[in-house]
Amino acid sequence: MRIRTHIRFLLNDETVETGDVRPDETLLDFLRLRRSLRGTKEGCAEGDCGACTVLVGRLAGDRLVYEAVNACIRFVGSLDGCHVVTVEHLRGVDGGLHPVQQAMVDWHGSQCGFCTPGFVMSLYGLWMNRPRPTVHEVEKALQGNLCRCTGYEPIVKAALAISDYGGLEADFLMRERAQVTARLAALRDGARVEVGSGKGRFVVPASVDDLASIVAAEPGARIVAGSTDVGLWVTKHMRDIAPVVFIGGLDELRRIAVRPDRIDIAAGASYTEAFEVLSRHVPALGMLIDRIGGEQVRNMGTIGGNIANGSPIGDTPPALIALGATLTLRKGDARRTIALEDFFIDYGKQDRAAGEFVETISVPLPAQTAHFAAYKVTKRRDEDITATLGAFNLIIAGGVVKSACIAYGGMAATPKRARAVEAALVGKAWNATTVEAALPAYEADFKPLSDMRASAEYRMLVAKNLLRRFLLETGGTQKPFTVGRARAA
Ligand SMILES: Cc1cc2nc3c(=O)[nH]c(=O)nc-3n(C[C@H](O)[C@H](O)[C@H](O)COP(=O)(O)OP(=O)(O)OC[C@H]3O[C@@H](n4cnc5c(N)ncnc54)[C@H](O)[C@@H]3O)c2cc1C
Ligand code: FES
Ligand code: FES
């Protein structure tokens, strides 16, 4: 195996080659402190505000894809083979302002200006793929950008007008596409990258097989995929994460395969990649992914990371458990497949042996006769962490519940099935009488906690109301409900 001891990436026009990088060094610090590229701002340092947004281009197969990411929680070591584009690089055809920048000026999209470079980069990322976006597409692209003084309306108007200031064909990155693709392809040498030593060490595997052997040999190494969780351990909790194994650059670990009966999602597929496929085949899952973080987080974060971190309030586990998903875990050449619900043993404890990693998540396609829904309840609609999430997968035939798989997040120490509730529904008529009679079973299934997101009482009431909502949405016979103080969102 050939080993390279430095990373290589493109930063705007320049090729960067360096072995002088710490495993926990963020791209934001690298840009601002080492390169004096201070257009990229630090607002929150936790992926929420978008002031640090840059574009990262990578080769997906032979295709060059640019995505908006949060530089504050992206590690430099994960950029091997990528093209980082910062706001300083933007330019118009005549060397003046780029159409995105000119639109922001003319539509008064900036006041104090602190958030503006981040908005410009997010809008540039959108415009590249959707030169004439809808308002909904603009709002979605800006979910991860906060502005405290301008207000969003002028920014949305600017976003809708960008193409009036220039066409994509004149855009500098579009014109340089072939050249950048060739430069990135030349950086791909099939080598494993190993930088630093001891506590300062990180590795970028050459392949998934290489990853398997690295992690088996060094079980204490920290796997980092999108770093949307691990990034915060560094910036907010000052945790030591080394040695690190960066897996985000492995194409094989981002594949999504649609089979006749299921979808196999490789653990390193980002939310954005998974959304494309899931929204076509399991629309309710697509809608749920749309509510995870903002665009930058969805471009970086992975379903594998969401599962592996074991959080009781991760959004995908309850939905995937309700669908009967399985996990394939790999250690060296050995693989085992388990039901996803069995992976979550207790708070902070998962069924993952030392040296194992999550390789694939297999999601059965819901039966033709199944009704599936996932409801996320938060204080804000966009970019907020779940208080309670309920996912329902029921087969109803002839008005009778034939099978039920119901799982919740935010209701226990792990994502958890509502088995007592399921038992109270199966074999009964799918109507309000059955649902009302099943509600006391929630007390047997869950003892939720109170925390800053919601009280235990709120969570319990919302959990019950979500079952009522599911009944209403699936056309079960209705009678007026007694709805408590909390309202399902
Ligand atoms: C601003 C913001 C908003 C967010 N909003 C949401 C939200 O709405 N809903 C939600 O559920 N989450 C949210 N998150 C959390 C986070 O985005 C998700 O948990 C994400 O799925 C983590 O994936 P990742 O690839 O970034 O994981 P990483 O941060 O890279 O890793 C997370 C954990 O998983 C481990 N890991 C990663 N991949 C593997 C693997 N293949 N095998 C074994 N271990 C692995 C890592 O070692 C680490 O312990 C948000 C985060 C931020 C910063
Ligand atoms: S600084 Fe706020 S998202 Fe990065
Ligand atoms: S212009 Fe001031 S925060 Fe957006």
Side-chain angles (χ1 to χ4, degrees), residues 51-345:
C52 65
T53 304
V54 298
L55 295 190
V56 170
R58 63 184 168 82
L59 291 181
D62 295 332
R63 217 161 44 94
L64 177 57
V65 180
Y66 285 97
E67 290 175 324
V69 307
N70 294 125
C72 65
I73 51 171
R74 179 85 193 240
F75 296 115
V76 182
S78 72
L79 293 167
D80 191 60
C82 294
H83 182 199
V84 178
V85 181
T86 69
V87 71
E88 289 84 357
H89 198 46
L90 261 60
R91 55 189 184 271
V93 266
D94 52 359
L97 291 182
H98 187 275
V100 178
Q101 294 169 314
Q102 194 61 57
M104 284 287 275
V105 171
D106 289 358
W107 288 89
H108 308 289
S110 179
Q111 283 191 33
C112 82
F114 194 82
C115 69
T116 308
F119 272 95
V120 165
M121 295 312 285
S122 287
L123 290 179
Y124 185 28
L126 170 69
W127 180 68
M128 261 187 205
N129 298 309
R130 297 253 187 272
R132 293 276 177 197
T134 62
V135 172
H136 172 73
E137 284 167 342
V138 172
E139 287 174 351
K140 192 177 159 194
L142 297 180
Q143 278 171 333
N145 290 81
L146 301 183
C147 176
R148 284 288 170 255
C149 41
T150 299
Y152 297 91
E153 200 175 330
I155 298 174
V156 172
K157 284 182 175 159
L160 296 173
I162 297 169
S163 282
D164 298 341
Y165 293 86
L168 262 189
E169 65 291 342
D171 179 63
F172 70 103
L173 268 190
M174 287 295 166
R175 282 188 282 127
E176 291 165 9
R177 238 177 153 76
Q179 188 198 337
V180 173
T181 302
R183 285 176 75 187
L184 291 182
L187 297 183
R188 285 179 162 185
D189 58 0
R192 177 197 290 178
V193 177
E194 285 195 22
V195 173
S197 58
K199 283 284 180 198
R201 178 161 167 269
F202 70 82
V203 184
V204 185
S207 63
V208 177
D209 287 345
D210 190 31
L211 164 67
S213 67
I214 292 166
V215 181
E218 196 168 354
R222 168 65 58 194
I223 293 173
V224 175
S227 68
T228 58
D229 283 317
V230 177
L232 277 70
W233 302 355
V234 171
T235 60
K236 295 289 143 176
H237 304 291
M238 313 299 163
R239 270 174 65 178
D240 189 357
I241 56 165
V244 167
V245 183
F246 290 114
I247 64 171
L250 296 173
D251 270 0
E252 303 159 85
L253 212 56
R254 303 181 83 119
R255 286 189 189 137
I256 302 176
V258 181
R259 320 263 182 220
D261 60 338
R262 64 179 200 280
I263 303 175
D264 291 335
I265 305 171
S270 70
Y271 288 120
T272 301
E273 289 163 325
F275 173 81
E276 290 295 315
V277 178
L278 292 176
S279 53
R280 263 184 283 127
H281 295 274
V282 194
L285 214 45
M287 280 158 64
L288 178 64
I289 288 180
D290 239 5
R291 293 207 41 209
I292 293 180
E295 193 78 351
Q296 298 91 326
V297 166
R298 290 190 294 268
N299 287 339
M300 296 165 69
T302 64
I303 298 185
N306 204 221
I307 290 169
N309 76 16
S311 166
I313 47 172
D315 283 341
T316 60
L320 295 173
I321 289 172
L323 287 167
T326 56
L327 275 193
T328 299
L329 295 136
R330 176 169 175 186
K331 179 176 183 175
D333 288 334
R335 291 181 171 86
R336 68 189 173 103
T337 298
I338 60 170
L340 175 59
E341 66 170 306
D342 296 337
F343 181 69
F344 302 103
I345 298 169

